[in-house]
Coordinates of all heavy atoms in Angstrom, one line a residue:
L1407 N 251.0 174.0 322.5 CA 251.0 173.6 323.9 C 249.8 174.3 324.5 O 249.6 175.5 324.5 CB 252.3 174.1 324.5 CG 252.4 173.8 326.0 CD1 252.4 172.3 326.2 CD2 253.7 174.5 326.6
T1408 N 248.9 173.5 325.1 CA 247.7 173.9 325.9 C 247.9 173.5 327.3 O 248.8 172.9 327.7 CB 246.5 173.3 325.3 OG1 246.4 171.9 325.6 CG2 246.4 173.5 323.7
K1409 N 246.9 174.0 328.1 CA 247.0 173.6 329.5 C 246.8 172.1 329.8 O 247.0 171.6 330.8 CB 245.9 174.4 330.3 CG 244.5 174.2 329.9 CD 243.5 175.0 330.6 CE 242.1 174.8 330.2 NZ 241.1 175.7 331.0
H1410 N 246.3 171.4 328.7 CA 246.1 170.0 328.8 C 247.3 169.2 328.1 O 247.2 168.0 327.9 CB 244.8 169.6 328.2 CG 243.6 170.2 328.8 ND1 243.3 170.0 330.1 CD2 242.7 171.1 328.3 CE1 242.2 170.6 330.4 NE2 241.8 171.3 329.4
G1411 N 248.3 170.0 327.7 CA 249.5 169.4 327.1 C 249.5 169.7 325.6 O 248.8 170.6 325.1
M1412 N 250.4 169.1 324.8 CA 250.5 169.3 323.4 C 249.3 168.8 322.7 O 248.7 167.8 323.0 CB 251.7 168.7 322.8 CG 253.1 169.2 323.4 SD 253.3 171.0 323.0 CE 253.4 170.9 321.2
R1413 N 248.8 169.7 321.7 CA 247.7 169.3 320.9 C 248.0 169.5 319.4 O 248.6 170.5 319.1 CB 246.4 170.1 321.3 CG 245.2 169.8 320.5 CD 243.9 170.3 321.2 NE 242.7 169.9 320.5 CZ 241.5 170.2 320.8 NH1 241.3 171.0 321.9 NH2 240.5 169.8 320.2
T1414 N 247.6 168.6 318.6 CA 247.8 168.7 317.1 C 246.5 169.3 316.5 O 245.4 168.7 316.7 CB 248.1 167.4 316.5 OG1 249.4 166.9 317.1 CG2 248.4 167.5 315.0
I1415 N 246.7 170.3 315.7 CA 245.5 170.9 315.0 C 245.8 171.1 313.5 O 247.0 171.2 313.1 CB 245.1 172.3 315.6 CG1 246.2 173.3 315.5 CG2 244.7 172.1 317.0 CD1 245.8 174.7 315.9
D1416 N 244.8 171.1 312.7 CA 245.0 171.3 311.2 C 244.8 172.8 311.0 O 243.7 173.3 310.9 CB 243.9 170.5 310.5 CG 244.0 170.7 308.9 OD1 245.0 171.3 308.5 OD2 243.1 170.3 308.2
A1417 N 245.9 173.5 310.8 CA 245.9 174.9 310.6 C 245.3 175.3 309.2 O 244.7 176.3 309.0 CB 247.3 175.5 310.7
R1418 N 245.6 174.4 308.2 CA 245.1 174.7 306.8 C 243.6 174.8 306.7 O 243.1 175.6 306.0 CB 245.7 173.6 305.9 CG 245.2 173.8 304.4 CD 245.6 175.1 303.8 NE 245.1 175.3 302.5 CZ 244.0 176.0 302.3 NH1 243.2 176.5 303.3 NH2 243.5 176.1 301.0
A1419 N 242.9 174.0 307.5 CA 241.4 173.9 307.4 C 240.8 175.2 307.7 O 239.7 175.5 307.2 CB 240.9 172.8 308.3
A1420 N 241.4 176.0 308.5 CA 240.8 177.3 309.0 C 241.2 178.5 308.0 O 240.5 179.5 308.1 CB 241.3 177.6 310.4
V1421 N 242.1 178.3 307.2 CA 242.6 179.4 306.3 C 241.6 179.6 305.1 O 241.5 178.7 304.3 CB 244.0 179.2 305.8 CG1 244.4 180.4 304.9 CG2 245.0 179.2 307.0
V1422 N 240.9 180.7 305.1 CA 240.0 181.0 304.0 C 240.7 181.5 302.8 O 240.5 181.1 301.6 CB 238.9 181.9 304.4 CG1 237.9 182.2 303.3 CG2 238.1 181.3 305.6
S1423 N 241.6 182.5 303.0 CA 242.3 183.1 301.9 C 243.6 183.7 302.5 O 243.7 184.0 303.7 CB 241.5 184.2 301.3 OG 241.2 185.3 302.2
A1424 N 244.6 183.9 301.7 CA 245.9 184.5 302.1 C 246.5 185.2 300.9 O 246.6 184.7 299.8 CB 246.8 183.5 302.7
T1425 N 246.9 186.5 301.1 CA 247.6 187.2 300.1 C 248.9 187.9 300.7 O 248.9 188.1 301.9 CB 246.7 188.4 299.5 OG1 246.3 189.2 300.6 CG2 245.5 187.8 298.8
V1426 N 249.8 188.1 299.9 CA 251.1 188.7 300.3 C 251.5 189.9 299.6 O 251.2 190.0 298.4 CB 252.3 187.6 300.1 CG1 253.6 188.2 300.4 CG2 252.0 186.4 300.9
H1427 N 252.0 190.9 300.3 CA 252.6 192.1 299.7 C 253.8 192.6 300.4 O 254.0 192.2 301.6 CB 251.5 193.2 299.5 CG 250.9 193.6 300.8 ND1 251.4 194.6 301.6 CD2 249.8 193.2 301.5 CE1 250.7 194.8 302.6 NE2 249.7 193.9 302.6
A1428 N 254.5 193.5 299.8 CA 255.7 194.0 300.5 C 255.4 195.2 301.3 O 254.4 195.9 301.1 CB 256.8 194.4 299.4
D1429 N 256.2 195.4 302.3 CA 256.0 196.6 303.2 C 256.3 197.9 302.5 O 257.0 197.9 301.5 CB 257.0 196.4 304.4 CG 256.6 197.4 305.6 OD1 255.5 197.9 305.5 OD2 257.4 197.5 306.5
V1430 N 255.9 199.0 303.1 CA 256.1 200.3 302.5 C 257.6 200.6 302.5 O 258.2 200.5 303.6 CB 255.4 201.4 303.3 CG1 255.7 202.7 302.7 CG2 253.9 201.1 303.2
P1431 N 258.3 200.9 301.4 CA 259.7 201.1 301.4 C 260.1 202.3 302.3 O 259.3 203.3 302.4 CB 260.0 201.4 299.9 CG 258.9 200.8 299.2 CD 257.7 200.9 300.1
G1432 N 261.2 202.1 303.0 CA 261.7 203.2 303.8 C 261.3 203.2 305.2 O 261.8 203.9 306.1
E1433 N 260.3 202.3 305.6 CA 259.9 202.2 307.0 C 261.0 201.4 307.8 O 261.4 200.3 307.3 CB 258.6 201.5 307.1 CG 258.1 201.4 308.5 CD 256.6 200.8 308.6 OE1 255.9 200.9 307.6 OE2 256.3 200.3 309.7
P1434 N 261.5 202.0 308.9 CA 262.6 201.3 309.6 C 262.1 200.0 310.2 O 261.0 199.9 310.8 CB 263.0 202.3 310.7 CG 261.7 203.2 310.8 CD 261.1 203.3 309.5
R1435 N 262.9 199.0 310.1 CA 262.6 197.6 310.7 C 263.8 197.2 311.5 O 265.0 197.5 311.2 CB 262.4 196.6 309.6 CG 261.1 196.9 308.8 CD 259.9 196.5 309.6 NE 258.6 196.9 308.9 CZ 257.4 196.6 309.4 NH1 257.3 196.0 310.6 NH2 256.3 196.9 308.7
P1436 N 263.6 196.4 312.6 CA 264.7 196.0 313.4 C 265.7 195.2 312.7 O 266.9 195.3 312.9 CB 264.0 195.1 314.5 CG 262.6 195.6 314.6 CD 262.3 196.1 313.2
S1437 N 265.3 194.4 311.7 CA 266.3 193.5 311.0 C 267.1 194.3 310.0 O 268.2 193.9 309.5 CB 265.6 192.4 310.2 OG 264.8 192.9 309.1
G1438 N 266.6 195.5 309.6 CA 267.2 196.3 308.5 C 267.0 195.7 307.1 O 267.6 196.3 306.2
G1439 N 266.3 194.7 307.0 CA 266.0 194.0 305.7 C 264.6 194.2 305.2 O 263.9 195.1 305.7
P1440 N 264.2 193.3 304.3 CA 262.8 193.4 303.8 C 261.8 193.0 304.8 O 262.1 192.4 305.9 CB 262.9 192.5 302.6 CG 263.9 191.4 303.0 CD 264.9 192.2 303.8

């Protein structure tokens, strides 16, 4: 949603790289989960 209304964009085109890892164990989180 923009000031000119809804706009459709290609999010994939901008992603150069993406990696995933787990959070440091023991750090408190609101969900209480991973």
Side-chain angles (χ1 to χ4, degrees):
L1407 181 61
T1408 71
K1409 62 182 179 180
H1410 301 296
M1412 296 298 296
R1413 182 167 184 177
T1414 300
I1415 61 175
D1416 178 13
R1418 176 62 186 92
V1421 176
V1422 177
S1423 64
T1425 57
V1426 174
H1427 58 89
D1429 194 13
V1430 178
E1433 183 173 337
R1435 292 285 177 179
S1437 73

